[in-house]
Amino acid sequence: MKQFNLKLFAMAVVGGLLFTSCGNSSNPDNNGHHENHEHQEGMDHDHSTHQHGESTERNVTSNNGEQKGDLIPVLEKYFSMNAHLVSDDASSAAKSSEKMVTALKAFKGTGFTADEQTEVNEILESAIENAEHIAENAGEISHQREHLVALSTDMKDLIAIVGTSQKLYEDFCPMANNNEGAMWISNKEEIHNPYMGSRMPKCGKVNRVIE
């Protein structure tokens, strides 16, 4: 009986540690991270060092409130791809990502400064590359999720420059990307984790609101 109680205690401790490390909270008011969107400074971009599984770090120009393009077609495919990854459907995720590649290539912004246009071109190049990897690896969901790390950063940076008419959420999972943590963009406040999938779909928290 004492041995059985010890096993129950051990299971409870492990479960508690997983929940804590996950940082699970879909309500930004409860975790102190509910804030308006502002792009993080102090990040340098070097496209030559971009590798799968690593988020691309770059300085980008923050949007001043003027929307400079329609990202809805791109984001719709991105959200669809993420939803399939949440349900561990690598094949459908690949199909959505293939459509996202088409949307990225078709994107045209307006009113960019010369510097902004250069930034957007770099981001689009990186995003297309990452989306293509996801599309080409329908049988390797772990590889798809590696490229989702960088693709999500691409989407975050593209939104920062172009702007958006949608209310979006920047979510974060500390257990993703080999426990280094990774973010993704969502159009829902409730957490649906594309990195952990069906194992831990609610793992993560809302870092900030983009509006």
Side-chain angles (χ1 to χ4, degrees):
M1 185 66 177
K2 185 178 293 185
Q3 186 178 8
F4 178 73
N5 287 337
L6 285 173
K7 287 182 179 179
L8 284 177
F9 176 75
M11 290 173 64
V13 169
V14 171
L17 286 173
L18 281 173
F19 187 83
T20 301
S21 61
C22 178
N24 191 302
S25 176
S26 61
N27 187 346
D29 288 328
N30 290 338
N31 57 44
H33 289 275
H34 189 173
E35 56 191 48
N36 290 331
H37 171 68
E38 58 180 17
H39 187 74
Q40 294 294 319
E41 301 295 335
M43 297 186 294
D44 299 318
H45 170 60
D46 182 356
H47 187 73
S48 64
T49 61
H50 176 70
Q51 299 178 5
H52 73 272
E54 297 181 358
S55 61
T56 303
E57 296 185 347
R58 56 171 79 87
N59 278 321
V60 300
T61 304
S62 295
N63 186 275
N64 60 7
E66 177 188 357
Q67 195 173 333
K68 298 183 178 181
D70 184 8
L71 287 175
I72 290 179
V74 173
L75 289 171
E76 282 180 346
K77 306 304 183 296
Y78 172 80
F79 295 143
S80 174
M81 177 193 66
N82 280 358
H84 292 308
L85 290 174
V86 172
S87 58
D88 300 328
D89 187 348
S91 178
S92 295
K95 292 176 183 177
S96 293
S97 192
E98 185 176 0
K99 293 177 181 178
M100 185 179 177
V101 170
T102 301
L104 284 164
K105 289 180 177 179
F107 173 77
K108 301 293 182 184
T110 58
F112 295 129
T113 65
D115 287 342
E116 288 174 340
Q117 187 64 66
T118 298
E119 292 172 338
V120 167
N121 290 345
E122 288 185 2
I123 295 168
L124 288 173
E125 179 184 354
S126 176
I128 290 169
E129 178 184 341
N130 285 305
E132 285 176 339
H133 273 278
I134 295 172
E136 294 166 0
N137 285 275
E140 296 289 340
I141 196 166
S142 61
H143 190 71
Q144 290 177 323
R145 285 170 171 153
E146 287 176 353
H147 280 280
L148 178 61
V149 176
L151 179 58
S152 294
T153 300
D154 293 332
M155 290 300 96
K156 172 185 173 182
D157 290 347
L158 196 58
I159 291 167
I161 298 174
V162 176
T164 178
S165 60
Q166 298 174 279
K167 185 175 183 178
L168 303 174
Y169 301 87
E170 181 186 318
D171 299 335
F172 180 79
C173 174
M175 297 180 68
N177 195 24
N178 294 319
N179 290 318
E180 292 183 13
M183 54 74 61
W184 73 98
I185 303 297
S186 175
N187 58 349
K188 297 180 175 64
E189 185 174 349
E190 183 179 0
I191 294 294
H192 298 280
N193 191 322
Y195 297 111
M196 306 305 290
S198 59
R199 290 181 299 157
M200 300 179 73
K202 302 301 181 184
C203 177
K205 63 183 179 181
V206 176
N207 260 1
R208 69 181 68 194
V209 178
I210 304 171
E211 55 185 348

